[in-house]
Amino acid sequence: MRRLVNRGVSRREFLRLSALATAGVVTVACGASGEPAPDSAAPAAPTSAPAAEPAVPAGPPSTYNEAPMLADLVAQGQLPPVDERLPSNPQVMPVPESTGNYGGTMRRGFSGVSDRWGPTKLQDRGLVWYDQNLNMQPRMAESWELSDDGKEWTFYLRPGTKWSDGAPLTANDVQWWWEHDQNNTEITPAVGSAWVSGTSRTPMEVEVIDDNTFKLKFADPKPLMLYSLGRSLPFAPGHYMSQFHLELTEDTAKLEADTTAAGFNSWAEYYIDRNWWYLNPDRPSLGPWIAKNQLSGELFIMERNPYFFAVDQDGNQLPYIDTVNHRLFENAEVFNLRVVNGEIDFQNRHVQLGNFTLFKESEEAGDFQVVIGVSAGHPSVQLNMTTKNERLREFFNKRDVRIALSHAVDRDALNELVFDGLMTPRQYSPLSASPQANPDQANAYIEYDTEQANALLDAAGYAEKDADGFRVWPGTNEQISFIMEMHDAPGSQGEDFSLQVIEYYKAVGVNAVYKYFERSLYTQHYESNEIEAASWSGDRTVLPIAAPIIFTCEQPDRPWAAAWSLWRLDKTNANGEEPPADHWVWDIWNTWDALAIEPDEARRAELFDEILQIWGRELPMIGYLGEAPALVIVKNGIKNYLPGFPLDDTTGDEHLLNTETYYWDDPAAHS
C-alpha cells in the first residue's frame, strides 16, 4: 500500500508550463502594488521556482479566528463557536501574498442557468486539488493510499468536517451517494466514467471503514482516478436529500404532490433539480460560499459558508470575502460595458481576446488590470462524422476532406484578422509546454495550400461544381452545404472566426453557413445528434491525460462524432450509435482503455502519444489556432490572485488555486 499526497507533473514539466505562461505576449504583473508592469519592461523570465509561500504549520492552530459576520451570529447564539465548526485538523491553505482581510463582495457576470460553470468553477474543488506546481494536494481528504495493484483507493477525511448546515460529513455520505443516487437508474441511468473501470466499465464498490475512512474499490487498476476527484464529489447530503427520494422519504404523498407542483414529470426529475446547490439554496453544500438564491435570478448571490473546512496559516477561517455575486447579462456588449465601467471584479470567463485593446485602454477609468495568462483553447471546427444527413456523413468521414479543409484556411491571415496575431497556427493538441506535447501532431496539415485542398477534394469524388463554383453532390446539381453552429453570439470574436473559416471553405468550393444558438439549444442539438458541424474551441490541453475526453471521443459537445461519443458514454442512449468495427476510433478507445489501467507512468505517456499519432494521421477535428493569451479582469485591490498559469477546464479555468484566500485590501470599499 502506497501512502500518497502528491501525484502530478514533475518539477521540470512545471517549469515548462511556467515558461509558456510568461512567453510571447505582453504580460501584466499583478503584484502587491497592484500596478501593471511598464510596457518597456523585459519579458518575465521563466519561473524557476514559484513565489515563496508562508510556512505551513506542522499541526493545526490551537485557536481559530472568524469573519465578523459569523462572530456576530455566534454572539447571538445562531451559530456554534468557530472551533466547533471546523474539523479537528482543518486544511491550512497557503496564501501567495499575505494573510487577508475579512469582508467585501466580489462581482462577476453570467449569461444564464446554462452558464452555471462560472459559479461552480469558482468553488468546486473536492477531496483533492492542485497546488501551483500542478501536483495534487489534500483538501477535504487529509491523505490517501493506493494499493499496489492500483485497484483500491483509501481516503481519510478530516474528522469533524461539516456540511453547510452543520451536519457532519462522514464516509456514510459516500455510501449514501453511491447506493441511493449513483445506483438508482431513475436518477442516474449510467454510472459516470470516474466510477467505473476496465473495458467492461465495471462499477466500483464503496467500502466504509469508519466515520472518516472509506475505500473506492475497482475491478481493474484505476491509476488516474485521483484526477476525477478534483471537481467531482463522491458525496451527497443524504440527511437532506432523502426527503426527495421516493424510496427513502417518510411522506411519499407529499413528495408526489411537490413533484407535480414544481412541474416535474417524475420524482427523479424533482430529486435531480433539488440536488443542484445553485438551484436549491436549501441543499447543504461543502464549498467556501453557499447559494442564497436560485441561479435563475438576475443576481445570483453566494455567501460565505460558516462551516468551511479550511483556515490560513494564522488560523483564520476561510474564505476572506463575504459574498460573491453573479449578475446576469443579456449579451456580450452588456458584459463588456460592465467590465469597462469597473463593475466586474475578477473574471476570465466571457472576457474575449478580441476586446483586449478596449479593456486595456479602460484600465485606469475602470480601476482594474488586464492580467494575461495562456489559454488551453484551440479555435476548431468539428465535422460531425455521425450526422443524420447521410451524404454529409459520408463527406465528413473521408479523411482527405478533413485534411483539405485544414489546408484550405490561411491560419496566419486568420490569426491576424480575428485575433490580432496573438495566437499560434496549430491543430487541436496538447500545449507545447504540456507533458503530453506532440509537435508532429500539433503541426499536421496546417500549411495554407489551396491547390492541395482542391486536389484532395477532387480525388475524394467531389470534383463537379455548379455555375457559382460550389461543389455538388455526385450525380446531382445540389450544392454540398452544411450548417456550422455554435453559441458564439452575433458580433463576437467566435462568430468572426467561424465566418472567416467559412469564407475559406467557399474558396475551395465547399459551402457552409454559420448559425448561432443559445447554449441550451446547442446542447439539445448535440445530445440528440441533430447537428451537422460546430465551431467550438477545444480545451483540456494543459494536462490532457487527466481529462482526455475530446481526444477520446467522449465529449459530445465537441461533436466530431456526436453519436459515437454518446454511445461510448452510455450504450443505452437512444441517440448513440456504435461505430463500424473497422473504424480508427476503436484504436483510440482501445489505446485509452489500456492506458487507463496502466500503473506505469512512462508507459501511460507512450500510450497517450499513440492516441496523438492517430489524431495526427486522421484529423478527427480540425484545429486552426491555439495557445492564445487569456485575459483575466482583476480589480485593483484584490489580493492573493497568482497569475501566470495556463487556463483550462481541467484546472478550473482562472480559479487554479485557492479562491478562498482572495481578499480586498479595503473590504469596506467593496461591500
Side-chain angles (χ1 to χ4, degrees), residues 584-615:
W584 47 263
V585 74
W586 287 102
D587 296 330
I588 291 177
W589 287 345
N590 292 335
T591 303
W592 176 257
D593 290 340
L595 185 158
I597 63 173
E598 174 56 56
D600 182 73
E601 185 175 1
R603 178 56 182 155
R604 290 201 301 267
E606 293 174 355
L607 289 169
F608 195 82
D609 194 68
E610 291 180 15
I611 292 175
L612 294 180
Q613 291 177 37
I614 297 172
W615 269 70

PDB file of all heavy atoms in Angstrom, residues 584-615:
ATOM      1  N   TRP A 584     -11.156   3.676 -37.158  1.00  0.00           N
ATOM      2  CA  TRP A 584      -9.996   4.004 -36.330  1.00  0.00           C
ATOM      3  C   TRP A 584     -10.363   4.548 -34.953  1.00  0.00           C
ATOM      4  O   TRP A 584      -9.524   4.589 -34.061  1.00  0.00           O
ATOM      5  CB  TRP A 584      -9.080   5.007 -37.036  1.00  0.00           C
ATOM      6  CG  TRP A 584      -9.779   6.179 -37.654  1.00  0.00           C
ATOM      7  CD1 TRP A 584     -10.150   6.323 -38.952  1.00  0.00           C
ATOM      8  CD2 TRP A 584     -10.221   7.377 -36.983  1.00  0.00           C
ATOM      9  NE1 TRP A 584     -10.785   7.535 -39.158  1.00  0.00           N
ATOM     10  CE2 TRP A 584     -10.837   8.205 -37.963  1.00  0.00           C
ATOM     11  CE3 TRP A 584     -10.141   7.842 -35.675  1.00  0.00           C
ATOM     12  CZ2 TRP A 584     -11.375   9.456 -37.655  1.00  0.00           C
ATOM     13  CZ3 TRP A 584     -10.676   9.087 -35.366  1.00  0.00           C
ATOM     14  CH2 TRP A 584     -11.286   9.872 -36.341  1.00  0.00           C
ATOM     15  N   VAL A 585     -11.621   4.967 -34.743  1.00  0.00           N
ATOM     16  CA  VAL A 585     -11.992   5.444 -33.409  1.00  0.00           C
ATOM     17  C   VAL A 585     -11.846   4.322 -32.382  1.00  0.00           C
ATOM     18  O   VAL A 585     -11.579   4.570 -31.200  1.00  0.00           O
ATOM     19  CB  VAL A 585     -13.417   6.033 -33.410  1.00  0.00           C
ATOM     20  CG1 VAL A 585     -14.480   4.940 -33.489  1.00  0.00           C
ATOM     21  CG2 VAL A 585     -13.633   6.903 -32.173  1.00  0.00           C
ATOM     22  N   TRP A 586     -11.996   3.069 -32.841  1.00  0.00           N
ATOM     23  CA  TRP A 586     -11.776   1.940 -31.932  1.00  0.00           C
ATOM     24  C   TRP A 586     -10.320   1.877 -31.478  1.00  0.00           C
ATOM     25  O   TRP A 586     -10.043   1.473 -30.335  1.00  0.00           O
ATOM     26  CB  TRP A 586     -12.176   0.634 -32.604  1.00  0.00           C
ATOM     27  CG  TRP A 586     -13.652   0.460 -32.748  1.00  0.00           C
ATOM     28  CD1 TRP A 586     -14.404   0.645 -33.880  1.00  0.00           C
ATOM     29  CD2 TRP A 586     -14.574   0.068 -31.734  1.00  0.00           C
ATOM     30  NE1 TRP A 586     -15.727   0.399 -33.636  1.00  0.00           N
ATOM     31  CE2 TRP A 586     -15.874   0.032 -32.326  1.00  0.00           C
ATOM     32  CE3 TRP A 586     -14.441  -0.257 -30.385  1.00  0.00           C
ATOM     33  CZ2 TRP A 586     -17.011  -0.319 -31.612  1.00  0.00           C
ATOM     34  CZ3 TRP A 586     -15.582  -0.614 -29.671  1.00  0.00           C
ATOM     35  CH2 TRP A 586     -16.839  -0.641 -30.275  1.00  0.00           C
ATOM     36  N   ASP A 587      -9.392   2.250 -32.341  1.00  0.00           N
ATOM     37  CA  ASP A 587      -7.980   2.275 -31.952  1.00  0.00           C
ATOM     38  C   ASP A 587      -7.755   3.283 -30.828  1.00  0.00           C
ATOM     39  O   ASP A 587      -6.983   3.036 -29.897  1.00  0.00           O
ATOM     40  CB  ASP A 587      -7.102   2.617 -33.157  1.00  0.00           C
ATOM     41  CG  ASP A 587      -7.168   1.565 -34.252  1.00  0.00           C
ATOM     42  OD1 ASP A 587      -7.386   0.383 -33.911  1.00  0.00           O
ATOM     43  OD2 ASP A 587      -7.013   1.915 -35.431  1.00  0.00           O
ATOM     44  N   ILE A 588      -8.436   4.431 -30.931  1.00  0.00           N
ATOM     45  CA  ILE A 588      -8.340   5.425 -29.853  1.00  0.00           C
ATOM     46  C   ILE A 588      -8.895   4.855 -28.561  1.00  0.00           C
ATOM     47  O   ILE A 588      -8.260   4.931 -27.495  1.00  0.00           O
ATOM     48  CB  ILE A 588      -9.092   6.710 -30.245  1.00  0.00           C
ATOM     49  CG1 ILE A 588      -8.363   7.431 -31.387  1.00  0.00           C
ATOM     50  CG2 ILE A 588      -9.237   7.637 -29.038  1.00  0.00           C
ATOM     51  CD1 ILE A 588      -9.078   8.675 -31.879  1.00  0.00           C
ATOM     52  N   TRP A 589     -10.073   4.268 -28.645  1.00  0.00           N
ATOM     53  CA  TRP A 589     -10.702   3.736 -27.434  1.00  0.00           C
ATOM     54  C   TRP A 589      -9.887   2.601 -26.821  1.00  0.00           C
ATOM     55  O   TRP A 589      -9.697   2.545 -25.603  1.00  0.00           O
ATOM     56  CB  TRP A 589     -12.118   3.261 -27.753  1.00  0.00           C
ATOM     57  CG  TRP A 589     -13.080   4.390 -27.973  1.00  0.00           C
ATOM     58  CD1 TRP A 589     -12.904   5.706 -27.637  1.00  0.00           C
ATOM     59  CD2 TRP A 589     -14.367   4.313 -28.591  1.00  0.00           C
ATOM     60  NE1 TRP A 589     -14.002   6.454 -27.994  1.00  0.00           N
ATOM     61  CE2 TRP A 589     -14.918   5.632 -28.577  1.00  0.00           C
ATOM     62  CE3 TRP A 589     -15.113   3.291 -29.151  1.00  0.00           C
ATOM     63  CZ2 TRP A 589     -16.171   5.922 -29.105  1.00  0.00           C
ATOM     64  CZ3 TRP A 589     -16.373   3.576 -29.669  1.00  0.00           C
ATOM     65  CH2 TRP A 589     -16.893   4.877 -29.646  1.00  0.00           C
ATOM     66  N   ASN A 590      -9.413   1.682 -27.657  1.00  0.00           N
ATOM     67  CA  ASN A 590      -8.651   0.549 -27.135  1.00  0.00           C
ATOM     68  C   ASN A 590      -7.347   1.008 -26.491  1.00  0.00           C
ATOM     69  O   ASN A 590      -6.920   0.479 -25.457  1.00  0.00           O
ATOM     70  CB  ASN A 590      -8.363  -0.455 -28.250  1.00  0.00           C
ATOM     71  CG  ASN A 590      -9.620  -1.148 -28.741  1.00  0.00           C
ATOM     72  OD1 ASN A 590     -10.608  -1.256 -28.013  1.00  0.00           O
ATOM     73  ND2 ASN A 590      -9.596  -1.628 -29.984  1.00  0.00           N
ATOM     74  N   THR A 591      -6.716   1.993 -27.108  1.00  0.00           N
ATOM     75  CA  THR A 591      -5.463   2.512 -26.540  1.00  0.00           C
ATOM     76  C   THR A 591      -5.728   3.206 -25.212  1.00  0.00           C
ATOM     77  O   THR A 591      -4.995   3.016 -24.233  1.00  0.00           O
ATOM     78  CB  THR A 591      -4.795   3.484 -27.521  1.00  0.00           C
ATOM     79  OG1 THR A 591      -4.567   2.822 -28.759  1.00  0.00           O
ATOM     80  CG2 THR A 591      -3.461   3.977 -26.968  1.00  0.00           C
ATOM     81  N   TRP A 592      -6.802   4.017 -25.168  1.00  0.00           N
ATOM     82  CA  TRP A 592      -7.111   4.678 -23.900  1.00  0.00           C
ATOM     83  C   TRP A 592      -7.485   3.661 -22.822  1.00  0.00           C
ATOM     84  O   TRP A 592      -7.085   3.807 -21.659  1.00  0.00           O
ATOM     85  CB  TRP A 592      -8.232   5.694 -24.062  1.00  0.00           C
ATOM     86  CG  TRP A 592      -8.580   6.276 -22.724  1.00  0.00           C
ATOM     87  CD1 TRP A 592      -9.656   5.979 -21.940  1.00  0.00           C
ATOM     88  CD2 TRP A 592      -7.783   7.186 -21.960  1.00  0.00           C
ATOM     89  NE1 TRP A 592      -9.589   6.655 -20.747  1.00  0.00           N
ATOM     90  CE2 TRP A 592      -8.448   7.401 -20.734  1.00  0.00           C
ATOM     91  CE3 TRP A 592      -6.578   7.841 -22.204  1.00  0.00           C
ATOM     92  CZ2 TRP A 592      -7.944   8.249 -19.753  1.00  0.00           C
ATOM     93  CZ3 TRP A 592      -6.075   8.691 -21.222  1.00  0.00           C
ATOM     94  CH2 TRP A 592      -6.752   8.883 -20.025  1.00  0.00           C
ATOM     95  N   ASP A 593      -8.240   2.640 -23.181  1.00  0.00           N
ATOM     96  CA  ASP A 593      -8.631   1.639 -22.199  1.00  0.00           C
ATOM     97  C   ASP A 593      -7.407   0.931 -21.613  1.00  0.00           C
ATOM     98  O   ASP A 593      -7.388   0.600 -20.424  1.00  0.00           O
ATOM     99  CB  ASP A 593      -9.576   0.616 -22.832  1.00  0.00           C
ATOM    100  CG  ASP A 593     -10.950   1.213 -23.141  1.00  0.00           C
ATOM    101  OD1 ASP A 593     -11.292   2.253 -22.540  1.00  0.00           O
ATOM    102  OD2 ASP A 593     -11.662   0.642 -23.990  1.00  0.00           O
ATOM    103  N   ALA A 594      -6.388   0.717 -22.445  1.00  0.00           N
ATOM    104  CA  ALA A 594      -5.149   0.136 -21.932  1.00  0.00           C
ATOM    105  C   ALA A 594      -4.411   1.126 -21.044  1.00  0.00           C
ATOM    106  O   ALA A 594      -3.868   0.761 -19.987  1.00  0.00           O
ATOM    107  CB  ALA A 594      -4.263  -0.307 -23.100  1.00  0.00           C
ATOM    108  N   LEU A 595      -4.402   2.390 -21.453  1.00  0.00           N
ATOM    109  CA  LEU A 595      -3.734   3.430 -20.664  1.00  0.00           C
ATOM    110  C   LEU A 595      -4.398   3.588 -19.293  1.00  0.00           C
ATOM    111  O   LEU A 595      -3.719   3.756 -18.276  1.00  0.00           O
ATOM    112  CB  LEU A 595      -3.779   4.743 -21.438  1.00  0.00           C
ATOM    113  CG  LEU A 595      -3.056   5.967 -20.878  1.00  0.00           C
ATOM    114  CD1 LEU A 595      -2.773   6.963 -22.005  1.00  0.00           C
ATOM    115  CD2 LEU A 595      -3.836   6.690 -19.784  1.00  0.00           C
ATOM    116  N   ALA A 596      -5.720   3.529 -19.277  1.00  0.00           N
ATOM    117  CA  ALA A 596      -6.458   3.813 -18.049  1.00  0.00           C
ATOM    118  C   ALA A 596      -6.185   2.813 -16.935  1.00  0.00           C
ATOM    119  O   ALA A 596      -6.434   3.116 -15.761  1.00  0.00           O
ATOM    120  CB  ALA A 596      -7.954   3.854 -18.346  1.00  0.00           C
ATOM    121  N   ILE A 597      -5.668   1.634 -17.265  1.00  0.00           N
ATOM    122  CA  ILE A 597      -5.356   0.637 -16.238  1.00  0.00           C
ATOM    123  C   ILE A 597      -3.858   0.398 -16.101  1.00  0.00           C
ATOM    124  O   ILE A 597      -3.439  -0.491 -15.357  1.00  0.00           O
ATOM    125  CB  ILE A 597      -6.080  -0.694 -16.527  1.00  0.00           C
ATOM    126  CG1 ILE A 597      -5.605  -1.298 -17.850  1.00  0.00           C
ATOM    127  CG2 ILE A 597      -7.595  -0.496 -16.522  1.00  0.00           C
ATOM    128  CD1 ILE A 597      -6.158  -2.696 -18.111  1.00  0.00           C
ATOM    129  N   GLU A 598      -3.077   1.195 -16.808  1.00  0.00           N
ATOM    130  CA  GLU A 598      -1.625   1.016 -16.799  1.00  0.00           C
ATOM    131  C   GLU A 598      -1.007   1.686 -15.573  1.00  0.00           C
ATOM    132  O   GLU A 598      -1.089   2.898 -15.421  1.00  0.00           O
ATOM    133  CB  GLU A 598      -1.014   1.598 -18.077  1.00  0.00           C
ATOM    134  CG  GLU A 598       0.501   1.599 -18.122  1.00  0.00           C
ATOM    135  CD  GLU A 598       1.103   0.230 -17.916  1.00  0.00           C
ATOM    136  OE1 GLU A 598       0.744  -0.694 -18.676  1.00  0.00           O
ATOM    137  OE2 GLU A 598       1.924   0.095 -16.966  1.00  0.00           O
ATOM    138  N   PRO A 599      -0.366   0.932 -14.677  1.00  0.00           N
ATOM    139  CA  PRO A 599       0.195   1.541 -13.464  1.00  0.00           C
ATOM    140  C   PRO A 599       1.491   2.314 -13.698  1.00  0.00           C
ATOM    141  O   PRO A 599       1.837   3.184 -12.898  1.00  0.00           O
ATOM    142  CB  PRO A 599       0.449   0.330 -12.556  1.00  0.00           C
ATOM    143  CG  PRO A 599       0.626  -0.821 -13.493  1.00  0.00           C
ATOM    144  CD  PRO A 599      -0.256  -0.534 -14.674  1.00  0.00           C
ATOM    145  N   ASP A 600       2.192   2.016 -14.796  1.00  0.00           N
ATOM    146  CA  ASP A 600       3.484   2.651 -15.031  1.00  0.00           C
ATOM    147  C   ASP A 600       3.303   3.981 -15.746  1.00  0.00           C
ATOM    148  O   ASP A 600       2.726   4.043 -16.843  1.00  0.00           O
ATOM    149  CB  ASP A 600       4.376   1.730 -15.869  1.00  0.00           C
ATOM    150  CG  ASP A 600       5.755   2.329 -16.092  1.00  0.00           C
ATOM    151  OD1 ASP A 600       6.553   2.357 -15.147  1.00  0.00           O
ATOM    152  OD2 ASP A 600       6.010   2.799 -17.225  1.00  0.00           O
ATOM    153  N   GLU A 601       3.793   5.073 -15.148  1.00  0.00           N
ATOM    154  CA  GLU A 601       3.582   6.410 -15.697  1.00  0.00           C
ATOM    155  C   GLU A 601       4.230   6.582 -17.060  1.00  0.00           C
ATOM    156  O   GLU A 601       3.653   7.197 -17.959  1.00  0.00           O
ATOM    157  CB  GLU A 601       4.122   7.450 -14.714  1.00  0.00           C
ATOM    158  CG  GLU A 601       3.849   8.881 -15.119  1.00  0.00           C
ATOM    159  CD  GLU A 601       4.281   9.884 -14.054  1.00  0.00           C
ATOM    160  OE1 GLU A 601       4.801   9.450 -13.011  1.00  0.00           O
ATOM    161  OE2 GLU A 601       4.102  11.085 -14.271  1.00  0.00           O
ATOM    162  N   ALA A 602       5.435   6.034 -17.238  1.00  0.00           N
ATOM    163  CA  ALA A 602       6.127   6.171 -18.514  1.00  0.00           C
ATOM    164  C   ALA A 602       5.358   5.458 -19.629  1.00  0.00           C
ATOM    165  O   ALA A 602       5.247   5.966 -20.756  1.00  0.00           O
ATOM    166  CB  ALA A 602       7.544   5.620 -18.411  1.00  0.00           C
ATOM    167  N   ARG A 603       4.837   4.284 -19.321  1.00  0.00           N
ATOM    168  CA  ARG A 603       4.065   3.552 -20.330  1.00  0.00           C
ATOM    169  C   ARG A 603       2.772   4.285 -20.650  1.00  0.00           C
ATOM    170  O   ARG A 603       2.337   4.321 -21.811  1.00  0.00           O
ATOM    171  CB  ARG A 603       3.773   2.130 -19.831  1.00  0.00           C
ATOM    172  CG  ARG A 603       2.936   1.281 -20.791  1.00  0.00           C
ATOM    173  CD  ARG A 603       3.556   1.193 -22.165  1.00  0.00           C
ATOM    174  NE  ARG A 603       2.715   0.419 -23.088  1.00  0.00           N
ATOM    175  CZ  ARG A 603       2.733   0.564 -24.400  1.00  0.00           C
ATOM    176  NH1 ARG A 603       3.559   1.451 -24.969  1.00  0.00           N
ATOM    177  NH2 ARG A 603       1.945  -0.172 -25.163  1.00  0.00           N
ATOM    178  N   ARG A 604       2.143   4.910 -19.644  1.00  0.00           N
ATOM    179  CA  ARG A 604       0.936   5.703 -19.908  1.00  0.00           C
ATOM    180  C   ARG A 604       1.244   6.829 -20.887  1.00  0.00           C
ATOM    181  O   ARG A 604       0.449   7.132 -21.778  1.00  0.00           O
ATOM    182  CB  ARG A 604       0.368   6.275 -18.607  1.00  0.00           C
ATOM    183  CG  ARG A 604      -0.242   5.249 -17.681  1.00  0.00           C
ATOM    184  CD  ARG A 604      -1.222   5.876 -16.700  1.00  0.00           C
ATOM    185  NE  ARG A 604      -0.627   6.886 -15.850  1.00  0.00           N
ATOM    186  CZ  ARG A 604      -0.115   6.662 -14.648  1.00  0.00           C
ATOM    187  NH1 ARG A 604      -0.101   5.424 -14.154  1.00  0.00           N
ATOM    188  NH2 ARG A 604       0.391   7.645 -13.927  1.00  0.00           N
ATOM    189  N   ALA A 605       2.404   7.472 -20.712  1.00  0.00           N
ATOM    190  CA  ALA A 605       2.789   8.554 -21.617  1.00  0.00           C
ATOM    191  C   ALA A 605       2.947   8.038 -23.046  1.00  0.00           C
ATOM    192  O   ALA A 605       2.542   8.699 -24.016  1.00  0.00           O
ATOM    193  CB  ALA A 605       4.079   9.211 -21.138  1.00  0.00           C
ATOM    194  N   GLU A 606       3.516   6.857 -23.195  1.00  0.00           N
ATOM    195  CA  GLU A 606       3.680   6.269 -24.525  1.00  0.00           C
ATOM    196  C   GLU A 606       2.329   5.981 -25.175  1.00  0.00           C
ATOM    197  O   GLU A 606       2.126   6.236 -26.367  1.00  0.00           O
ATOM    198  CB  GLU A 606       4.497   4.977 -24.427  1.00  0.00           C
ATOM    199  CG  GLU A 606       5.950   5.190 -24.021  1.00  0.00           C
ATOM    200  CD  GLU A 606       6.668   3.870 -23.789  1.00  0.00           C
ATOM    201  OE1 GLU A 606       5.994   2.812 -23.862  1.00  0.00           O
ATOM    202  OE2 GLU A 606       7.881   3.887 -23.526  1.00  0.00           O
ATOM    203  N   LEU A 607       1.412   5.459 -24.386  1.00  0.00           N
ATOM    204  CA  LEU A 607       0.099   5.131 -24.925  1.00  0.00           C
ATOM    205  C   LEU A 607      -0.662   6.386 -25.335  1.00  0.00           C
ATOM    206  O   LEU A 607      -1.336   6.404 -26.376  1.00  0.00           O
ATOM    207  CB  LEU A 607      -0.701   4.328 -23.894  1.00  0.00           C
ATOM    208  CG  LEU A 607      -0.215   2.892 -23.666  1.00  0.00           C
ATOM    209  CD1 LEU A 607      -0.885   2.283 -22.441  1.00  0.00           C
ATOM    210  CD2 LEU A 607      -0.482   2.036 -24.902  1.00  0.00           C
ATOM    211  N   PHE A 608      -0.562   7.447 -24.534  1.00  0.00           N
ATOM    212  CA  PHE A 608      -1.244   8.678 -24.927  1.00  0.00           C
ATOM    213  C   PHE A 608      -0.637   9.236 -26.208  1.00  0.00           C
ATOM    214  O   PHE A 608      -1.351   9.786 -27.056  1.00  0.00           O
ATOM    215  CB  PHE A 608      -1.200   9.720 -23.819  1.00  0.00           C
ATOM    216  CG  PHE A 608      -2.175  10.839 -24.029  1.00  0.00           C
ATOM    217  CD1 PHE A 608      -3.504  10.694 -23.661  1.00  0.00           C
ATOM    218  CD2 PHE A 608      -1.799  12.028 -24.636  1.00  0.00           C
ATOM    219  CE1 PHE A 608      -4.434  11.703 -23.886  1.00  0.00           C
ATOM    220  CE2 PHE A 608      -2.709  13.043 -24.866  1.00  0.00           C
ATOM    221  CZ  PHE A 608      -4.037  12.874 -24.486  1.00  0.00           C
ATOM    222  N   ASP A 609       0.661   9.085 -26.366  1.00  0.00           N
ATOM    223  CA  ASP A 609       1.298   9.549 -27.596  1.00  0.00           C
ATOM    224  C   ASP A 609       0.782   8.761 -28.801  1.00  0.00           C
ATOM    225  O   ASP A 609       0.663   9.320 -29.905  1.00  0.00           O
ATOM    226  CB  ASP A 609       2.814   9.409 -27.485  1.00  0.00           C
ATOM    227  CG  ASP A 609       3.538  10.183 -28.571  1.00  0.00           C
ATOM    228  OD1 ASP A 609       3.487  11.431 -28.548  1.00  0.00           O
ATOM    229  OD2 ASP A 609       4.145   9.550 -29.456  1.00  0.00           O
ATOM    230  N   GLU A 610       0.441   7.499 -28.603  1.00  0.00           N
ATOM    231  CA  GLU A 610      -0.140   6.719 -29.694  1.00  0.00           C
ATOM    232  C   GLU A 610      -1.493   7.298 -30.113  1.00  0.00           C
ATOM    233  O   GLU A 610      -1.829   7.321 -31.306  1.00  0.00           O
ATOM    234  CB  GLU A 610      -0.290   5.253 -29.276  1.00  0.00           C
ATOM    235  CG  GLU A 610       1.033   4.519 -29.127  1.00  0.00           C
ATOM    236  CD  GLU A 610       0.848   3.071 -28.702  1.00  0.00           C
ATOM    237  OE1 GLU A 610      -0.300   2.562 -28.794  1.00  0.00           O
ATOM    238  OE2 GLU A 610       1.833   2.439 -28.281  1.00  0.00           O
ATOM    239  N   ILE A 611      -2.276   7.769 -29.152  1.00  0.00           N
ATOM    240  CA  ILE A 611      -3.546   8.414 -29.476  1.00  0.00           C
ATOM    241  C   ILE A 611      -3.296   9.680 -30.285  1.00  0.00           C
ATOM    242  O   ILE A 611      -3.993   9.957 -31.273  1.00  0.00           O
ATOM    243  CB  ILE A 611      -4.331   8.726 -28.192  1.00  0.00           C
ATOM    244  CG1 ILE A 611      -4.784   7.423 -27.520  1.00  0.00           C
ATOM    245  CG2 ILE A 611      -5.529   9.631 -28.489  1.00  0.00           C
ATOM    246  CD1 ILE A 611      -5.453   7.625 -26.180  1.00  0.00           C
ATOM    247  N   LEU A 612      -2.281  10.444 -29.886  1.00  0.00           N
ATOM    248  CA  LEU A 612      -1.968  11.671 -30.622  1.00  0.00           C
ATOM    249  C   LEU A 612      -1.487  11.363 -32.037  1.00  0.00           C
ATOM    250  O   LEU A 612      -1.744  12.134 -32.965  1.00  0.00           O
ATOM    251  CB  LEU A 612      -0.916  12.472 -29.858  1.00  0.00           C
ATOM    252  CG  LEU A 612      -1.364  13.031 -28.501  1.00  0.00           C
ATOM    253  CD1 LEU A 612      -0.212  13.795 -27.853  1.00  0.00           C
ATOM    254  CD2 LEU A 612      -2.586  13.933 -28.648  1.00  0.00           C
ATOM    255  N   GLN A 613      -0.795  10.257 -32.211  1.00  0.00           N
ATOM    256  CA  GLN A 613      -0.382   9.869 -33.558  1.00  0.00           C
ATOM    257  C   GLN A 613      -1.591   9.584 -34.442  1.00  0.00           C
ATOM    258  O   GLN A 613      -1.600   9.919 -35.629  1.00  0.00           O
ATOM    259  CB  GLN A 613       0.537   8.656 -33.490  1.00  0.00           C
ATOM    260  CG  GLN A 613       1.900   8.953 -32.869  1.00  0.00           C
ATOM    261  CD  GLN A 613       2.758   7.703 -32.740  1.00  0.00           C
ATOM    262  OE1 GLN A 613       2.739   6.824 -33.597  1.00  0.00           O
ATOM    263  NE2 GLN A 613       3.506   7.610 -31.642  1.00  0.00           N
ATOM    264  N   ILE A 614      -2.622   8.960 -33.872  1.00  0.00           N
ATOM    265  CA  ILE A 614      -3.854   8.737 -34.631  1.00  0.00           C
ATOM    266  C   ILE A 614      -4.469  10.075 -35.006  1.00  0.00           C
ATOM    267  O   ILE A 614      -4.912  10.276 -36.145  1.00  0.00           O
ATOM    268  CB  ILE A 614      -4.846   7.882 -33.817  1.00  0.00           C
ATOM    269  CG1 ILE A 614      -4.266   6.490 -33.557  1.00  0.00           C
ATOM    270  CG2 ILE A 614      -6.190   7.788 -34.539  1.00  0.00           C
ATOM    271  CD1 ILE A 614      -5.082   5.643 -32.597  1.00  0.00           C
ATOM    272  N   TRP A 615      -4.480  11.007 -34.064  1.00  0.00           N
ATOM    273  CA  TRP A 615      -5.011  12.340 -34.358  1.00  0.00           C
ATOM    274  C   TRP A 615      -4.206  13.025 -35.457  1.00  0.00           C
ATOM    275  O   TRP A 615      -4.772  13.677 -36.335  1.00  0.00           O
ATOM    276  CB  TRP A 615      -5.007  13.195 -33.080  1.00  0.00           C
ATOM    277  CG  TRP A 615      -6.288  13.073 -32.326  1.00  0.00           C
ATOM    278  CD1 TRP A 615      -6.734  11.980 -31.643  1.00  0.00           C
ATOM    279  CD2 TRP A 615      -7.293  14.067 -32.203  1.00  0.00           C
ATOM    280  NE1 TRP A 615      -7.963  12.240 -31.094  1.00  0.00           N
ATOM    281  CE2 TRP A 615      -8.335  13.515 -31.417  1.00  0.00           C
ATOM    282  CE3 TRP A 615      -7.431  15.371 -32.651  1.00  0.00           C
ATOM    283  CZ2 TRP A 615      -9.486  14.223 -31.082  1.00  0.00           C
ATOM    284  CZ3 TRP A 615      -8.576  16.085 -32.319  1.00  0.00           C
ATOM    285  CH2 TRP A 615      -9.590  15.510 -31.549  1.00  0.00           C
TER     286      TRP A 615
END
